[in-house]
Every structure is written in structure tokens, then in C-alpha cells.
Amino acid sequence: MRNLRLLLPCLGLVALTATGCFIASGQIFVHFDLPTPFSIVGADGADREFVDLNTIHDYAKHKDKLKDVSDLAVVGRFTNQGGPGGTVSVYITPGSTSLSGAANVVAGATRLWGPASIGATGSVVNIGWNESAKLFDPAGKQVLIDAAKGDGTFTIYTIGTPGVVNVIQVDNGGIILVISAGP
């Protein structure tokens, strides 16, 4: 049975190459794991994470063939550990930056994603692929696409609702890109 599973794809590849057809493009799935857990503390304004896609093998291996970012998502489990309900937003800057405080992040970065609403203490919101797609800001999405097509580095900032003192814990957070590649 195992040999049959290996033999059929090989026969298909031989048939394609024998007829002059070659696979010319494809998609690469890139998942960057955020620290887990991490907290977005409303009182201090902003949390920062430097992202280097070059640390992901499939991205680094196919970077020279990158054509476009066809889809992307920010995913995770968001739990209000204490305080009133509020929102969470993600901002982005190209390269490595060090903005401090929510006001500086809003002024100096581009909103990538959000705001996602999180209820009061004990509320849990699981944001998957479909939920994430609705939260992207076109300007921030373009910054992310440009960074992925450029040097592969950017900084993301997570902020809560300005002036709302709560603690949102993020578990299993990640940034997922579907990258189109070709020769």
C-alpha cells in the first residue's frame, strides 16, 4: 500500500514531464508563531514583536521565487484575564522599529488588523482564518505584502483599547501567509 501511494504521484510527474508540461508555480504556506502566551496590557499601551520571515525555512528557500502574497491571517485565542471589555488591534512597520506607547504606535505605524472585540473578564474569542480575513486594513495589508516581497522583516504592535485597563492574553497566536511563487 505504501509503495502504491509513492508510485502514483511519481507516475503522474513522469507523465507530465514526458508530455512537455512542467509545474511552473505554486503556493507556499508560511506560519510565523507569536510567543505563547503573551499579554496585551491596556495600561501600558502596546506590545512589540519583531518578525523575520527569513527564519522560516520554506520562505527562505523560495524567497527568490516570490510573486505575491495571495492570502494572510492573524490568528489566536484571546482571553480577557481582567478588566472591562475592549478591543485589540495590530499595527505594522517595515523593518525593525521600537515605538513605545499606544499613541506613538497609532501615529507611527499602519493598522494591519482589527479592532477585534473582546468581552469583559473571562471572555474568550477564538480568531481563525475566516474571522481574521474580515479584520484586515488594506493599507496595513499592503505594508505586510511589501515586507514579505522585500527583505522579509517587519515589526508588529498589539494594542488594546486606549484608556481601557484590562489584560488580554493571547495563546497560539500566529501570522499566516499564503505566498504565490513561480520560476
Side-chain angles (χ1 to χ4, degrees):
M1 184 66 157
R2 175 174 148 69
N3 290 337
L4 183 59
R5 282 185 282 175
L6 293 173
L7 181 62
L8 289 176
C10 291
L11 287 175
L13 185 58
V14 168
L16 285 174
T17 56
T19 61
C21 296
F22 292 94
I23 299 172
S25 66
Q27 291 187 325
I28 301 160
F29 181 78
V30 176
H31 187 275
F32 184 87
D33 292 324
L34 296 171
T36 195
F38 75 92
S39 294
I40 303 166
V41 181
D44 70 4
D47 293 287
R48 171 185 170 275
E49 181 70 26
F50 176 67
V51 178
D52 184 353
L53 297 177
N54 297 292
T55 63
I56 301 170
H57 175 74
D58 283 339
Y59 174 83
K61 181 178 174 184
H62 299 287
K63 183 178 178 178
D64 61 325
K65 299 175 188 114
L66 178 67
K67 299 296 182 198
D68 199 7
V69 177
S70 57
D71 212 349
L72 53 119
V74 174
V75 298
R77 178 186 166 128
F78 298 77
T79 305
N80 189 335
Q81 296 291 319
T87 61
V88 173
S89 295
V90 177
Y91 284 76
I92 186 171
T93 61
S96 178
T97 58
S98 294
L99 302 173
S100 62
N104 289 332
V105 169
V106 172
T110 304
R111 187 175 64 181
L112 171 64
W113 181 90
S117 296
I118 313 295
T121 301
S123 294
V124 177
V125 176
N126 288 304
I127 297 179
W129 193 273
N130 291 335
E131 298 83 10
S132 180
K134 300 171 191 169
L135 297 171
F136 275 98
D137 183 282
K141 190 174 184 178
Q142 189 60 53
V143 172
L144 178 58
I145 290 169
D146 292 345
K149 290 171 75 175
D151 69 0
T153 65
F154 53 94
T155 305
I156 61 165
Y157 295 88
T158 54
I159 64 171
T161 306
V164 174
V165 179
N166 59 13
V167 177
I168 307 296
Q169 179 175 307
V170 182
D171 292 291
N172 302 316
I175 300 170
I176 303 169
L177 304 172
V178 178
I179 299 174
S180 300

